[in-house]
């Protein structure tokens, strides 16, 4: 269709929220979609920053792409944890972005009762209403399995040992009569004032590192987990040792 001579031209505009960080309606839509995917399984990419009025519960096999956005809980929400992965469910988190349990809220960032795989993102916890540290990544039940391949993990200064944490070991002994069978396996990432090779938060020194991996203190506050170098020959072994690399032998080597 053409406009007649002298007719007023018009342009269709799409109104986008500033930085597309979530108007009330955008956030409400995102929360509704997140709840559905987390309940039934599937993939979801965050398009807006979200402040949750309640905990997101994973009951299916879910892949979440943070996509540079922020996912936090509200200080006054009734269920305080950001994400809970239930038994039999799997949550995989990819991409850059922030998942945070804000200070003043008595909640953890991610509680795993099932399987949790973290490949990227920043995970941060603040202090609860009484000033005590909330945990960042928490294995709660006997069959929780957590794998950390990347990302950044930070507690407030109150207790950095809760960056990755099992349910209290002594409580487990008393309640179930056996040691905790959950696992936390770390293959990458950066940790604020937390050495994943030596964590006493469970009442005993705990090494969360995957076999062959090493945590290095890169400055006064941060530990970085480094993948090992695979070595299959004498020359490669000598070179790796000279370079100060962490090594896994993939075959017999005669020196």
């Amino acid at each position: 269709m053409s406009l007649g001579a002298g007719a007023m031209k018009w342009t269709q505009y799409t109104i986008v929220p500033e930085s597309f960080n979530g108007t009330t309606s955008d956030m409400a839509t995102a929360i509704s979609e997140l709840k559905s995917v987390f309940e039934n399984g599937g993939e979801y990419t965050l398009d807006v920053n979200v402040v949750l009025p309640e905990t997101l519960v994973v009951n299916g096999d879910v892949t979440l792409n943070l996509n540079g956005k922020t996912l936090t809980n509200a200080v006054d929400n009734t269920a305080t944890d950001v994400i809970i992965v239930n038994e039999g469910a799997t949550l995989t988190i990819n991409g850059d972005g922030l998942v945070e349990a804000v200070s003043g809220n008595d909640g953890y960032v991610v509680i795993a009762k099932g399987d949790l795989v973290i490949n990227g993102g920043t995970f941060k916890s603040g202090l609860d209403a009484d000033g005590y540290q909330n945990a960042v990544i928490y294995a709660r039940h006997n069959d929780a399995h957590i794998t950390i391949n990347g990302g950044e993990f930070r507690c407030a200064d109150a207790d950095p040992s809760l960056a990755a944490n099992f349910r209290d070991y002594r409580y487990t002994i008393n309640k179930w009569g056996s040691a905790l069978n959950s696992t936390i396996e770390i293959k990458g990432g950066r940790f604020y004032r937390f050495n994943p090779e030596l964590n006493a938060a469970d009442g005993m020194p705990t090494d969360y590192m995957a076999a062959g991996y090493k945590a290095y203190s890169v400055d006064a506050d941060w530990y970085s987990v480094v993948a090992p170098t695979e070595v299959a020959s004498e020359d490669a072994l000598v070179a790796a040792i000279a370079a100060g690399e962490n090594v896994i032998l993939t075959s017999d080597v005669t020196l």
Side-chain angles (χ1 to χ4, degrees):
M1 180 180 72
S2 61
L3 296 174
M8 182 180 293
K9 294 183 179 180
W10 59 274
T11 303
Q12 181 175 351
Y13 292 94
T14 300
I15 299 175
V16 179
E18 183 179 356
S19 301
F20 199 52
N21 61 359
T23 63
T24 301
S25 59
D26 292 323
M27 192 182 300
T29 299
I31 291 170
S32 177
E33 292 172 345
L34 278 165
K35 290 172 66 176
S36 177
V37 171
F38 276 38
E39 175 65 31
N40 300 297
E43 299 182 3
Y44 191 83
T45 299
L46 282 178
D47 286 326
V48 297
N49 296 335
V50 173
V51 180
L52 295 166
E54 58 185 341
T55 299
L56 284 173
V57 179
V58 183
N59 286 312
D61 292 338
V62 174
T63 298
L64 174 64
N65 183 352
L66 296 176
N67 193 34
K69 306 302 180 183
T70 298
L71 185 64
T72 65
N73 52 11
V75 172
D76 57 352
N77 72 9
T78 55
T80 56
D81 306 303
V82 181
I83 298 173
I84 294 177
V85 184
N86 271 339
E87 299 94 328
T90 300
L91 174 63
T92 301
I93 301 178
N94 299 323
D96 295 326
L98 172 66
V99 185
E100 180 178 7
V102 298
S103 289
N105 191 318
D106 298 340
Y108 296 170
V109 182
V110 185
I111 292 177
K113 303 177 185 179
D115 292 347
L116 171 65
V117 179
I118 297 177
N119 296 318
T122 297
F123 301 83
K124 184 179 178 182
S125 68
L127 306 178
D128 67 17
D130 296 319
Y132 295 103
Q133 180 65 59
N134 288 327
V136 181
I137 306 299
Y138 185 55
R140 184 170 179 178
H141 279 203
N142 269 349
D143 294 323
H145 300 290
I146 298 172
T147 303
I148 297 176
N149 297 313
E152 185 172 293
F153 303 84
R154 178 168 184 158
C155 291
D157 289 335
D159 188 357
S161 70
L162 297 180
N165 184 223
F166 288 131
R167 190 186 186 103
D168 191 303
Y169 179 81
R170 288 162 294 183
Y171 176 82
T172 302
I173 291 291
N174 292 337
K175 185 175 179 66
W176 289 295
S178 62
L180 192 66
N181 294 321
S182 298
T183 59
I184 299 177
E185 188 176 49
I186 297 178
K187 300 179 179 179
R190 298 178 71 241
F191 298 83
Y192 176 70
R193 295 178 58 193
F194 172 81
N195 182 354
E197 290 188 35
L198 183 62
N199 178 28
D202 301 300
M204 60 178 182
T206 306
D207 183 356
Y208 294 141
M209 303 297 294
Y213 286 73
K214 181 72 177 177
Y216 293 93
S217 180
V218 293
D219 57 36
D221 289 326
W222 290 94
Y223 288 86
S224 290
V225 175
V226 179
T229 300
E230 293 187 351
V231 168
S233 69
E234 177 185 354
D235 290 343
L237 177 59
V238 171
I241 291 174
E245 296 175 346
N246 198 32
V247 171
I248 286 183
L249 293 178
T250 58
S251 67
D252 295 336
V253 173
T254 301
L255 299 176

